[in-house]
Amino acid sequence: MKDHRLNDTEKGVLVTGGTGYIGSHAVVTLIAAGYNPVIVDNLSNSKVSALERISKITKKKLPFYKIDMRDSAALDKVFQKHPIASVIHFAGLKAVGESVAEPLRYYENNIQSAISLCFVMAKRGVKKIIFSSSAAVYGDASIIPISENCFPEPTNPYARSKIIIEQILQDIHVADPAWRVILLRYFNPVGAHQSGLIGEDPQGTPNNLMPLISQVAVGRRKRINIFGDDYPTTDGTGVRDYIHVMDLAEGHIAALKQIEKTALKKSTQKPMIINLGTGRGYTVMEMLHAFEEVSGKKIPYRITKRRPGDIAACYADTTLARKLLGWKARRGLVDMCADAWRWQSRNPQGYP
Ligand code: NAD
Ligand code: UDP
């Protein structure tokens, strides 16, 4: 996996949100691929102890800055201190329900962070960026599998903040075609690094299915509510495209390689919008039973009414990721559940 062809100036990657769930796994994967990640996070939704765990896995002590992305002066100092060739921008708020209740906080945090980052990047001549977008931008897509051609119809402020940032990055490229931009639309990341040392550690009550299932299995919660069993799916429960977080992390390495390749060319390369999913959907019931099987724990549940805003089924058309990045997800449902369970059972309360 290590790429010895990288020279020192290409190795520096700023990872914003690097102590968070996906960011921490990306950092581990970046190191394995020979990069030098520099981490920035304001720790609003993650713990500094994630860094020690990353160090344990990688046997490296990494530069970390507790900085709010909106603080461009502080961010600028990081660019001055470290050779940074490209940026992976994970930092942001991500809870859909919260974004409906507090739209201004979401727009301000997510959009202002991206703008402040791009100002500093432009000032320092760093023009390669990968941005964490979401399948949430598609809203209630009528054609499944969902391809990148599907017109985005975000249904909440979180998803709208993603589309706005995608648009901002595209505009920056129009103004200065030297920018290389990849917008990755993730489907449903689950699982953890196979060491069980890092994983998803939601603060407060989780919103997503997988951490809820894991917390029931480990005894932190009594049961799970299944939001509706009357959808037009095989067993009536909702279908989603769950992707192992390490596959997702590897998708970022493939995107970085793609950006590095196109940056060498003089010709302009338009921003790429690429889905990262597996292309296959599982129902809530299938997820629950797979987790029971792997963990040996019974997961009590009850069927409740549909969650407002939920859709029946959502999974990715992954053709473009394969074509443009030469990447596809390799890990299956058993890996997703086994790795999530290893993390949760060894860290019942999450990070210390
Ligand atoms: P996470 O909350 O675990 O990580 C995000 C990190 O960003 C956190 O550590 C948080 O402290 C940090 N952060 C937030 N605002 C910040 C700011 N203003 N300055 C500095 N740091 C800030 O979330 P995640 O699941 O790792 O998601 C990473 C990215 O991927 C997010 O942009 C999210 O919207 C996107 N995404 C996530 C999912 C998912 O289901 N997990 C799906 C699609 C897209
Ligand atoms: N879900 C559920 N109970 C929960 C949380 C989620 O039945 O407590 C269902 C939800 O209706 C959806 C699937 O699990 O069909 C995945 O939901 P999640 O919130 O994890 O992802 P998203 O809906 O944002 O894709």
Side-chain angles (χ1 to χ4, degrees), residues 21-22 41-42 44-46 68-69 90 94 109 158 162:
Y21 173 42
I22 305 170
D41 201 301
N42 67 357
S44 61
N45 197 39
S46 54
D68 192 292
M69 293 300 297
F90 292 104
K94 63 163 182 179
N109 187 81
Y158 164 70
K162 293 291 181 193

Side-chain angles (χ1 to χ4, degrees), residues 13 25 31 53 58-59 84 134 204 231 238 283 342:
V13 182
H25 291 79
I31 292 171
R53 301 295 187 84
T58 61
K59 316 238 177 328
I84 290 168
S134 168
Y231 285 106
T283 67
R342 193 174 304 107

Side-chain angles (χ1 to χ4, degrees), residues 96 136 187-188 206-212 224-228 231 237-242 282-284 304 306-307 310-312 314:
V96 170
F187 281 67
N188 294 52
N207 300 300
N208 298 113
L209 179 68
M210 212 38 175
L212 281 164
I224 154 138
N225 293 324
I226 295 186
F227 299 144
Y231 285 106
T237 64
V239 168
R240 296 290 183 277
D241 184 339
Y242 299 94
Y282 289 103
T283 67
V284 176
T304 63
R306 290 180 178 191
R307 181 169 66 179
D310 262 0
I311 52 176
C314 165

